[in-house]
Each structure stands twice: as C-alpha cells, then as structure tokens.
Amino acid sequence: KRQDYGRPRELHLERGLAVSDLTPFEGHRKFPVACEHFVTEMLEIGAGPLVSDISCDYLLIPVGGTGSFSGQAFDAGQCWHVPVGAGAVEIAGAAGTRILRTRGGSAFVR
C-alpha cells in the first residue's frame, strides 16, 4: 500500500495513469511571465556567453542544455540561487541552451 508522502491517505497511481494525457503539449508560453509576486524570463544562449547582473536575489534554472555559471558546470533540471550582491554571473553553454531566470517581488514587475 503506497502512501501520499507519508500522509495517511492511499495513492491511486494506476487510476491517475489511466486518465493522464501523455501526448506532447503543443502550447506556447510567452516570456517574460510577470505578476506581483515574481518575474520569470527565458534566456537562450546564442553564439557567445551571456552576462546576468541583477541587484537582487534570483534563481537560474537550466531547462535545456549544459554549460556553466561563472565557471561552475550546470545541467538541465538544476536550480542555482544567486544572492544579492553576487555581482555579474557569466552564463556559458552550447547554442540553444535555455535557462529560466526568476526573481521575486512586485518591485521587479515593470
């Protein structure tokens, strides 16, 4: 009997899979995504490295490709926290590498 993250309720994986639509989603999301709580934008590596220099805490989330943030290797699916005052972060990777950059707070929605 499987439980839901240790909670006292049973998981119904087979039922969930039976009603799941596993076909690729052909939708389109436009970036940046902004609201009063956060801003998320897509960065895409082109011919050369990018520089990220934002004066607040933010996250870098690679969603495709590999590369490095200021010389530290990253893989898709990881999440990197860049604290306020960290300075410029050089983002390097193969052409087509995609990274979500997200920061919080209504002060950043423009």
Side-chain angles (χ1 to χ4, degrees):
K1 184 175 178 178
R2 298 180 186 146
Q3 289 194 340
D4 184 13
Y5 297 100
R7 297 182 196 140
R9 63 182 182 193
E10 186 178 348
L11 282 180
H12 300 282
L13 297 178
E14 292 77 19
R15 289 182 185 171
L17 288 172
V19 298
S20 296
D21 181 1
L22 302 178
T23 58
F25 177 67
E26 298 299 327
H28 180 73
R29 169 83 56 194
K30 293 187 177 194
F31 287 94
V33 175
C35 70
E36 65 182 283
H37 304 290
F38 66 89
V39 174
T40 298
E41 55 200 329
M42 180 71 73
L43 306 177
E44 188 164 341
I45 306 276
L50 301 173
V51 175
S52 180
D53 190 9
I54 300 175
S55 59
C56 65
D57 284 313
Y58 63 97
L59 300 174
L60 293 170
I61 307 164
V63 294
T66 60
S68 65
F69 297 134
S70 294
Q72 296 184 35
F74 69 75
D75 290 310
Q78 296 179 330
C79 183
W80 292 66
H81 173 242
V82 180
V84 65
V89 174
E90 182 178 271
I91 303 170
T97 296
R98 295 176 304 131
I99 300 158
L100 293 175
R101 179 171 62 184
T102 189
R103 57 194 185 275
S106 59
F108 303 106
V109 177
R110 299 183 202 281

mmCIF file of all heavy atoms in Angstrom, residues 25 27-31 40-50 59-69 74-80 91-102:
data_model
loop_
_atom_site.group_PDB
_atom_site.id
_atom_site.type_symbol
_atom_site.label_atom_id
_atom_site.label_comp_id
_atom_site.label_asym_id
_atom_site.label_seq_id
_atom_site.Cartn_x
_atom_site.Cartn_y
_atom_site.Cartn_z
ATOM 1 N N PHE A 25 2.454 18.408 -25.368
ATOM 2 C CA PHE A 25 1.663 19.631 -25.353
ATOM 3 C C PHE A 25 2.261 20.602 -26.359
ATOM 4 O O PHE A 25 3.444 20.906 -26.306
ATOM 5 C CB PHE A 25 1.668 20.245 -23.955
ATOM 6 C CG PHE A 25 0.941 21.549 -23.868
ATOM 7 C CD1 PHE A 25 -0.428 21.601 -24.040
ATOM 8 C CD2 PHE A 25 1.621 22.728 -23.620
ATOM 9 C CE1 PHE A 25 -1.109 22.807 -23.953
ATOM 10 C CE2 PHE A 25 0.953 23.932 -23.540
ATOM 11 C CZ PHE A 25 -0.421 23.974 -23.707
ATOM 12 N N GLY A 27 1.462 23.736 -26.782
ATOM 13 C CA GLY A 27 1.171 25.110 -26.389
ATOM 14 C C GLY A 27 2.381 26.009 -26.513
ATOM 15 O O GLY A 27 3.485 25.573 -26.819
ATOM 16 N N HIS A 28 2.179 27.263 -26.261
ATOM 17 C CA HIS A 28 3.252 28.247 -26.343
ATOM 18 C C HIS A 28 3.156 29.186 -25.151
ATOM 19 O O HIS A 28 2.096 29.703 -24.850
ATOM 20 C CB HIS A 28 3.135 29.045 -27.647
ATOM 21 C CG HIS A 28 4.207 30.069 -27.805
ATOM 22 N ND1 HIS A 28 5.513 29.737 -28.098
ATOM 23 C CD2 HIS A 28 4.181 31.408 -27.690
ATOM 24 C CE1 HIS A 28 6.240 30.841 -28.165
ATOM 25 N NE2 HIS A 28 5.448 31.860 -27.917
ATOM 26 N N ARG A 29 4.254 29.388 -24.476
ATOM 27 C CA ARG A 29 4.308 30.299 -23.333
ATOM 28 C C ARG A 29 5.170 31.475 -23.720
ATOM 29 O O ARG A 29 6.272 31.297 -24.209
ATOM 30 C CB ARG A 29 4.901 29.580 -22.127
ATOM 31 C CG ARG A 29 5.261 30.439 -20.963
ATOM 32 C CD ARG A 29 4.147 30.769 -20.038
ATOM 33 N NE ARG A 29 3.507 29.581 -19.528
ATOM 34 C CZ ARG A 29 2.338 29.622 -18.914
ATOM 35 N NH1 ARG A 29 1.733 30.742 -18.737
ATOM 36 N NH2 ARG A 29 1.799 28.520 -18.480
ATOM 37 N N LYS A 30 4.666 32.666 -23.528
ATOM 38 C CA LYS A 30 5.456 33.850 -23.839
ATOM 39 C C LYS A 30 6.190 34.309 -22.588
ATOM 40 O O LYS A 30 5.661 34.222 -21.488
ATOM 41 C CB LYS A 30 4.559 34.971 -24.358
ATOM 42 C CG LYS A 30 3.962 34.646 -25.697
ATOM 43 C CD LYS A 30 3.233 35.832 -26.256
ATOM 44 C CE LYS A 30 2.729 35.458 -27.638
ATOM 45 N NZ LYS A 30 2.312 36.597 -28.394
ATOM 46 N N PHE A 31 7.389 34.765 -22.762
ATOM 47 C CA PHE A 31 8.198 35.270 -21.657
ATOM 48 C C PHE A 31 8.499 36.725 -21.922
ATOM 49 O O PHE A 31 8.615 37.127 -23.077
ATOM 50 C CB PHE A 31 9.500 34.464 -21.545
ATOM 51 C CG PHE A 31 9.275 33.089 -20.989
ATOM 52 C CD1 PHE A 31 9.083 32.009 -21.824
ATOM 53 C CD2 PHE A 31 9.224 32.885 -19.626
ATOM 54 C CE1 PHE A 31 8.857 30.742 -21.324
ATOM 55 C CE2 PHE A 31 8.997 31.629 -19.110
ATOM 56 C CZ PHE A 31 8.815 30.554 -19.962
ATOM 57 N N THR A 40 9.611 35.897 -14.337
ATOM 58 C CA THR A 40 10.401 34.808 -14.900
ATOM 59 C C THR A 40 10.606 35.085 -16.376
ATOM 60 O O THR A 40 9.658 35.418 -17.080
ATOM 61 C CB THR A 40 9.700 33.448 -14.712
ATOM 62 O OG1 THR A 40 9.557 33.192 -13.318
ATOM 63 C CG2 THR A 40 10.516 32.322 -15.336
ATOM 64 N N GLU A 41 11.842 34.959 -16.818
ATOM 65 C CA GLU A 41 12.153 35.182 -18.227
ATOM 66 C C GLU A 41 13.019 34.046 -18.743
ATOM 67 O O GLU A 41 13.717 33.395 -17.968
ATOM 68 C CB GLU A 41 12.848 36.525 -18.417
ATOM 69 C CG GLU A 41 14.083 36.690 -17.563
ATOM 70 C CD GLU A 41 14.490 38.138 -17.378
ATOM 71 O OE1 GLU A 41 14.257 38.947 -18.279
ATOM 72 O OE2 GLU A 41 15.050 38.451 -16.322
ATOM 73 N N MET A 42 12.951 33.803 -20.046
ATOM 74 C CA MET A 42 13.750 32.748 -20.668
ATOM 75 C C MET A 42 15.000 33.373 -21.269
ATOM 76 O O MET A 42 14.921 34.332 -22.033
ATOM 77 C CB MET A 42 12.949 32.064 -21.774
ATOM 78 C CG MET A 42 13.706 30.961 -22.483
ATOM 79 S SD MET A 42 13.952 29.482 -21.469
ATOM 80 C CE MET A 42 12.286 28.825 -21.473
ATOM 81 N N LEU A 43 16.154 32.834 -20.900
ATOM 82 C CA LEU A 43 17.420 33.227 -21.512
ATOM 83 C C LEU A 43 17.842 32.107 -22.439
ATOM 84 O O LEU A 43 17.746 30.931 -22.089
ATOM 85 C CB LEU A 43 18.503 33.435 -20.441
ATOM 86 C CG LEU A 43 18.192 34.402 -19.299
ATOM 87 C CD1 LEU A 43 19.344 34.409 -18.304
ATOM 88 C CD2 LEU A 43 17.920 35.790 -19.830
ATOM 89 N N GLU A 44 18.294 32.449 -23.626
ATOM 90 C CA GLU A 44 18.763 31.433 -24.562
ATOM 91 C C GLU A 44 20.163 31.802 -25.013
ATOM 92 O O GLU A 44 20.415 32.924 -25.440
ATOM 93 C CB GLU A 44 17.834 31.316 -25.764
ATOM 94 C CG GLU A 44 18.192 30.141 -26.642
ATOM 95 C CD GLU A 44 17.090 29.761 -27.616
ATOM 96 O OE1 GLU A 44 15.936 30.149 -27.406
ATOM 97 O OE2 GLU A 44 17.420 29.066 -28.588
ATOM 98 N N ILE A 45 21.071 30.837 -24.886
ATOM 99 C CA ILE A 45 22.458 31.057 -25.278
ATOM 100 C C ILE A 45 22.531 31.060 -26.804
ATOM 101 O O ILE A 45 22.019 30.159 -27.458
ATOM 102 C CB ILE A 45 23.381 29.956 -24.722
ATOM 103 C CG1 ILE A 45 23.223 29.818 -23.217
ATOM 104 C CG2 ILE A 45 24.830 30.206 -25.135
ATOM 105 C CD1 ILE A 45 23.995 30.746 -22.365
ATOM 106 N N GLY A 46 23.160 32.071 -27.355
ATOM 107 C CA GLY A 46 23.352 32.153 -28.808
ATOM 108 C C GLY A 46 24.780 31.803 -29.163
ATOM 109 O O GLY A 46 25.302 30.758 -28.777
ATOM 110 N N ALA A 47 25.446 32.714 -29.841
ATOM 111 C CA ALA A 47 26.811 32.473 -30.310
ATOM 112 C C ALA A 47 27.848 32.610 -29.203
ATOM 113 O O ALA A 47 28.935 32.064 -29.303
ATOM 114 C CB ALA A 47 27.142 33.440 -31.441
ATOM 115 N N GLY A 48 27.532 33.338 -28.149
ATOM 116 C CA GLY A 48 28.521 33.540 -27.097
ATOM 117 C C GLY A 48 27.868 33.599 -25.735
ATOM 118 O O GLY A 48 26.649 33.496 -25.618
ATOM 119 N N PRO A 49 28.663 33.776 -24.687
ATOM 120 C CA PRO A 49 28.121 33.796 -23.326
ATOM 121 C C PRO A 49 27.249 35.018 -23.074
ATOM 122 O O PRO A 49 27.347 36.030 -23.754
ATOM 123 C CB PRO A 49 29.361 33.804 -22.434
ATOM 124 C CG PRO A 49 30.468 34.272 -23.302
ATOM 125 C CD PRO A 49 30.106 33.933 -24.711
ATOM 126 N N LEU A 50 26.382 34.887 -22.066
ATOM 127 C CA LEU A 50 25.541 35.986 -21.594
ATOM 128 C C LEU A 50 26.069 36.436 -20.242
ATOM 129 O O LEU A 50 26.761 35.692 -19.556
ATOM 130 C CB LEU A 50 24.095 35.514 -21.408
ATOM 131 C CG LEU A 50 23.368 34.947 -22.611
ATOM 132 C CD1 LEU A 50 22.013 34.391 -22.162
ATOM 133 C CD2 LEU A 50 23.162 36.029 -23.654
ATOM 134 N N LEU A 59 17.009 33.237 -9.159
ATOM 135 C CA LEU A 59 17.302 31.842 -9.456
ATOM 136 C C LEU A 59 17.618 31.682 -10.934
ATOM 137 O O LEU A 59 17.012 32.350 -11.773
ATOM 138 C CB LEU A 59 16.099 30.955 -9.117
ATOM 139 C CG LEU A 59 15.624 30.961 -7.676
ATOM 140 C CD1 LEU A 59 14.339 30.140 -7.539
ATOM 141 C CD2 LEU A 59 16.692 30.428 -6.737
ATOM 142 N N LEU A 60 18.536 30.791 -11.239
ATOM 143 C CA LEU A 60 18.826 30.375 -12.604
ATOM 144 C C LEU A 60 18.477 28.894 -12.688
ATOM 145 O O LEU A 60 18.989 28.086 -11.904
ATOM 146 C CB LEU A 60 20.299 30.595 -12.947
ATOM 147 C CG LEU A 60 20.746 32.051 -13.014
ATOM 148 C CD1 LEU A 60 22.265 32.145 -13.111
ATOM 149 C CD2 LEU A 60 20.088 32.764 -14.186
ATOM 150 N N ILE A 61 17.576 28.549 -13.618
ATOM 151 C CA ILE A 61 17.087 27.183 -13.731
ATOM 152 C C ILE A 61 17.278 26.714 -15.172
ATOM 153 O O ILE A 61 16.484 27.063 -16.051
ATOM 154 C CB ILE A 61 15.595 27.097 -13.337
ATOM 155 C CG1 ILE A 61 15.377 27.720 -11.955
ATOM 156 C CG2 ILE A 61 15.117 25.642 -13.376
ATOM 157 C CD1 ILE A 61 13.932 28.025 -11.639
ATOM 158 N N PRO A 62 18.339 25.964 -15.454
ATOM 159 C CA PRO A 62 18.536 25.444 -16.811
ATOM 160 C C PRO A 62 17.426 24.452 -17.163
ATOM 161 O O PRO A 62 17.150 23.530 -16.401
ATOM 162 C CB PRO A 62 19.886 24.740 -16.743
ATOM 163 C CG PRO A 62 20.540 25.227 -15.490
ATOM 164 C CD PRO A 62 19.440 25.597 -14.560
ATOM 165 N N VAL A 63 16.777 24.664 -18.311
ATOM 166 C CA VAL A 63 15.712 23.766 -18.750
ATOM 167 C C VAL A 63 16.100 22.982 -20.002
ATOM 168 O O VAL A 63 15.359 22.116 -20.436
ATOM 169 C CB VAL A 63 14.379 24.516 -18.970
ATOM 170 C CG1 VAL A 63 13.848 25.050 -17.648
ATOM 171 C CG2 VAL A 63 14.532 25.634 -19.979
ATOM 172 N N GLY A 64 17.241 23.283 -20.578
ATOM 173 C CA GLY A 64 17.720 22.548 -21.738
ATOM 174 C C GLY A 64 19.172 22.870 -21.997
ATOM 175 O O GLY A 64 19.559 24.028 -22.008
ATOM 176 N N GLY A 65 19.980 21.845 -22.150
ATOM 177 C CA GLY A 65 21.396 22.046 -22.423
ATOM 178 C C GLY A 65 22.256 21.974 -21.175
ATOM 179 O O GLY A 65 21.785 21.736 -20.075
ATOM 180 N N THR A 66 23.543 22.204 -21.372
ATOM 181 C CA THR A 66 24.517 22.226 -20.284
ATOM 182 C C THR A 66 25.408 23.437 -20.479
ATOM 183 O O THR A 66 25.438 24.037 -21.542
ATOM 184 C CB THR A 66 25.388 20.950 -20.281
ATOM 185 O OG1 THR A 66 26.092 20.875 -21.521
ATOM 186 C CG2 THR A 66 24.567 19.698 -20.076
ATOM 187 N N GLY A 67 26.145 23.774 -19.461
ATOM 188 C CA GLY A 67 27.048 24.907 -19.560
ATOM 189 C C GLY A 67 27.650 25.226 -18.216
ATOM 190 O O GLY A 67 27.834 24.337 -17.383
ATOM 191 N N SER A 68 27.908 26.523 -17.998
ATOM 192 C CA SER A 68 28.496 26.927 -16.723
ATOM 193 C C SER A 68 27.994 28.308 -16.324
ATOM 194 O O SER A 68 27.692 29.144 -17.167
ATOM 195 C CB SER A 68 30.021 26.927 -16.794
ATOM 196 O OG SER A 68 30.466 27.910 -17.716
ATOM 197 N N PHE A 69 27.900 28.502 -15.027
ATOM 198 C CA PHE A 69 27.619 29.803 -14.430
ATOM 199 C C PHE A 69 28.908 30.255 -13.758
ATOM 200 O O PHE A 69 29.347 29.648 -12.788
ATOM 201 C CB PHE A 69 26.496 29.722 -13.390
ATOM 202 C CG PHE A 69 25.164 29.293 -13.943
ATOM 203 C CD1 PHE A 69 24.406 28.337 -13.296
ATOM 204 C CD2 PHE A 69 24.655 29.861 -15.099
ATOM 205 C CE1 PHE A 69 23.170 27.951 -13.784
ATOM 206 C CE2 PHE A 69 23.421 29.483 -15.600
ATOM 207 C CZ PHE A 69 22.678 28.521 -14.940
ATOM 208 N N PHE A 74 26.783 23.387 -14.963
ATOM 209 C CA PHE A 74 25.380 23.108 -14.656
ATOM 210 C C PHE A 74 24.819 22.137 -15.676
ATOM 211 O O PHE A 74 25.330 22.004 -16.777
ATOM 212 C CB PHE A 74 24.525 24.382 -14.603
ATOM 213 C CG PHE A 74 24.321 25.062 -15.938
ATOM 214 C CD1 PHE A 74 23.448 24.554 -16.889
ATOM 215 C CD2 PHE A 74 24.997 26.244 -16.230
ATOM 216 C CE1 PHE A 74 23.262 25.200 -18.103
ATOM 217 C CE2 PHE A 74 24.814 26.890 -17.446
ATOM 218 C CZ PHE A 74 23.942 26.363 -18.388
ATOM 219 N N ASP A 75 23.743 21.459 -15.277
ATOM 220 C CA ASP A 75 22.972 20.565 -16.146
ATOM 221 C C ASP A 75 21.514 21.002 -16.093
ATOM 222 O O ASP A 75 21.067 21.601 -15.105
ATOM 223 C CB ASP A 75 23.049 19.106 -15.663
ATOM 224 C CG ASP A 75 24.425 18.496 -15.864
ATOM 225 O OD1 ASP A 75 24.949 18.612 -16.985
ATOM 226 O OD2 ASP A 75 24.962 17.929 -14.908
ATOM 227 N N ALA A 76 20.768 20.679 -17.133
ATOM 228 C CA ALA A 76 19.335 20.965 -17.151
ATOM 229 C C ALA A 76 18.672 20.288 -15.953
ATOM 230 O O ALA A 76 19.029 19.185 -15.565
ATOM 231 C CB ALA A 76 18.713 20.464 -18.447
ATOM 232 N N GLY A 77 17.732 21.000 -15.346
ATOM 233 C CA GLY A 77 16.997 20.475 -14.198
ATOM 234 C C GLY A 77 17.530 20.936 -12.860
ATOM 235 O O GLY A 77 16.867 20.772 -11.840
ATOM 236 N N GLN A 78 18.712 21.519 -12.839
ATOM 237 C CA GLN A 78 19.249 22.035 -11.581
ATOM 238 C C GLN A 78 18.677 23.422 -11.314
ATOM 239 O O GLN A 78 18.117 24.062 -12.202
ATOM 240 C CB GLN A 78 20.770 22.115 -11.644
ATOM 241 C CG GLN A 78 21.431 20.771 -11.782
ATOM 242 C CD GLN A 78 22.948 20.892 -11.868
ATOM 243 O OE1 GLN A 78 23.484 21.874 -12.361
ATOM 244 N NE2 GLN A 78 23.631 19.862 -11.396
ATOM 245 N N CYS A 79 18.828 23.883 -10.103
ATOM 246 C CA CYS A 79 18.376 25.226 -9.728
ATOM 247 C C CYS A 79 19.508 25.901 -8.960
ATOM 248 O O CYS A 79 20.027 25.345 -7.995
ATOM 249 C CB CYS A 79 17.127 25.131 -8.859
ATOM 250 S SG CYS A 79 16.436 26.737 -8.414
ATOM 251 N N TRP A 80 19.898 27.080 -9.417
ATOM 252 C CA TRP A 80 21.004 27.821 -8.808
ATOM 253 C C TRP A 80 20.490 29.121 -8.215
ATOM 254 O O TRP A 80 19.808 29.893 -8.881
ATOM 255 C CB TRP A 80 22.060 28.124 -9.866
ATOM 256 C CG TRP A 80 22.781 26.919 -10.360
ATOM 257 C CD1 TRP A 80 22.256 25.887 -11.069
ATOM 258 C CD2 TRP A 80 24.149 26.615 -10.175
ATOM 259 N NE1 TRP A 80 23.220 24.958 -11.349
ATOM 260 C CE2 TRP A 80 24.394 25.383 -10.809
ATOM 261 C CE3 TRP A 80 25.198 27.270 -9.539
ATOM 262 C CZ2 TRP A 80 25.645 24.788 -10.823
ATOM 263 C CZ3 TRP A 80 26.447 26.672 -9.562
ATOM 264 C CH2 TRP A 80 26.658 25.446 -10.184
ATOM 265 N N ILE A 91 27.153 33.409 -18.055
ATOM 266 C CA ILE A 91 26.434 32.188 -18.400
ATOM 267 C C ILE A 91 26.958 31.704 -19.747
ATOM 268 O O ILE A 91 26.818 32.395 -20.754
ATOM 269 C CB ILE A 91 24.924 32.444 -18.482
ATOM 270 C CG1 ILE A 91 24.405 33.025 -17.154
ATOM 271 C CG2 ILE A 91 24.189 31.159 -18.837
ATOM 272 C CD1 ILE A 91 22.984 33.522 -17.224
ATOM 273 N N ALA A 92 27.587 30.537 -19.745
ATOM 274 C CA ALA A 92 28.148 29.973 -20.967
ATOM 275 C C ALA A 92 27.523 28.613 -21.224
ATOM 276 O O ALA A 92 27.167 27.895 -20.290
ATOM 277 C CB ALA A 92 29.665 29.839 -20.841
ATOM 278 N N GLY A 93 27.387 28.276 -22.497
ATOM 279 C CA GLY A 93 26.841 26.976 -22.865
ATOM 280 C C GLY A 93 26.765 26.854 -24.369
ATOM 281 O O GLY A 93 27.064 27.795 -25.106
ATOM 282 N N ALA A 94 26.353 25.693 -24.818
ATOM 283 C CA ALA A 94 26.189 25.463 -26.244
ATOM 284 C C ALA A 94 25.032 26.296 -26.766
ATOM 285 O O ALA A 94 24.097 26.611 -26.025
ATOM 286 C CB ALA A 94 25.929 23.985 -26.496
ATOM 287 N N ALA A 95 25.095 26.662 -28.037
ATOM 288 C CA ALA A 95 23.999 27.411 -28.646
ATOM 289 C C ALA A 95 22.697 26.647 -28.452
ATOM 290 O O ALA A 95 22.649 25.428 -28.596
ATOM 291 C CB ALA A 95 24.277 27.628 -30.132
ATOM 292 N N GLY A 96 21.641 27.359 -28.065
ATOM 293 C CA GLY A 96 20.342 26.741 -27.838
ATOM 294 C C GLY A 96 20.077 26.356 -26.398
ATOM 295 O O GLY A 96 18.967 25.952 -26.064
ATOM 296 N N THR A 97 21.083 26.455 -25.528
ATOM 297 C CA THR A 97 20.870 26.182 -24.113
ATOM 298 C C THR A 97 19.868 27.198 -23.581
ATOM 299 O O THR A 97 19.988 28.389 -23.830
ATOM 300 C CB THR A 97 22.193 26.266 -23.328
ATOM 301 O OG1 THR A 97 23.064 25.235 -23.796
ATOM 302 C CG2 THR A 97 21.983 26.103 -21.836
ATOM 303 N N ARG A 98 18.850 26.715 -22.855
ATOM 304 C CA ARG A 98 17.797 27.591 -22.337
ATOM 305 C C ARG A 98 17.799 27.585 -20.817
ATOM 306 O O ARG A 98 17.939 26.539 -20.193
ATOM 307 C CB ARG A 98 16.436 27.153 -22.867
ATOM 308 C CG ARG A 98 16.332 27.324 -24.375
ATOM 309 C CD ARG A 98 15.026 26.819 -24.947
ATOM 310 N NE ARG A 98 14.829 25.422 -24.588
ATOM 311 C CZ ARG A 98 13.700 24.931 -24.071
ATOM 312 N NH1 ARG A 98 12.666 25.701 -23.846
ATOM 313 N NH2 ARG A 98 13.616 23.652 -23.782
ATOM 314 N N ILE A 99 17.627 28.784 -20.236
ATOM 315 C CA ILE A 99 17.685 28.966 -18.790
ATOM 316 C C ILE A 99 16.562 29.892 -18.373
ATOM 317 O O ILE A 99 16.379 30.968 -18.959
ATOM 318 C CB ILE A 99 19.040 29.572 -18.380
ATOM 319 C CG1 ILE A 99 20.170 28.639 -18.793
ATOM 320 C CG2 ILE A 99 19.080 29.859 -16.885
ATOM 321 C CD1 ILE A 99 21.495 29.320 -18.928
ATOM 322 N N LEU A 100 15.797 29.485 -17.351
ATOM 323 C CA LEU A 100 14.822 30.386 -16.752
ATOM 324 C C LEU A 100 15.535 31.221 -15.709
ATOM 325 O O LEU A 100 16.303 30.700 -14.896
ATOM 326 C CB LEU A 100 13.690 29.601 -16.085
ATOM 327 C CG LEU A 100 12.769 28.817 -16.999
ATOM 328 C CD1 LEU A 100 11.785 28.005 -16.163
ATOM 329 C CD2 LEU A 100 12.038 29.740 -17.942
ATOM 330 N N ARG A 101 15.307 32.521 -15.736
ATOM 331 C CA ARG A 101 15.826 33.413 -14.692
ATOM 332 C C ARG A 101 14.601 33.991 -14.000
ATOM 333 O O ARG A 101 13.746 34.593 -14.641
ATOM 334 C CB ARG A 101 16.687 34.509 -15.297
ATOM 335 C CG ARG A 101 17.221 35.480 -14.240
ATOM 336 C CD ARG A 101 18.235 36.436 -14.791
ATOM 337 N NE ARG A 101 17.665 37.282 -15.826
ATOM 338 C CZ ARG A 101 18.361 38.163 -16.539
ATOM 339 N NH1 ARG A 101 19.660 38.309 -16.335
ATOM 340 N NH2 ARG A 101 17.783 38.902 -17.458
ATOM 341 N N THR A 102 14.502 33.801 -12.689
ATOM 342 C CA THR A 102 13.324 34.258 -11.958
ATOM 343 C C THR A 102 13.723 35.013 -10.708
ATOM 344 O O THR A 102 14.712 34.690 -10.059
ATOM 345 C CB THR A 102 12.389 33.067 -11.634
ATOM 346 O OG1 THR A 102 11.155 33.554 -11.118
ATOM 347 C CG2 THR A 102 13.001 32.089 -10.671
#
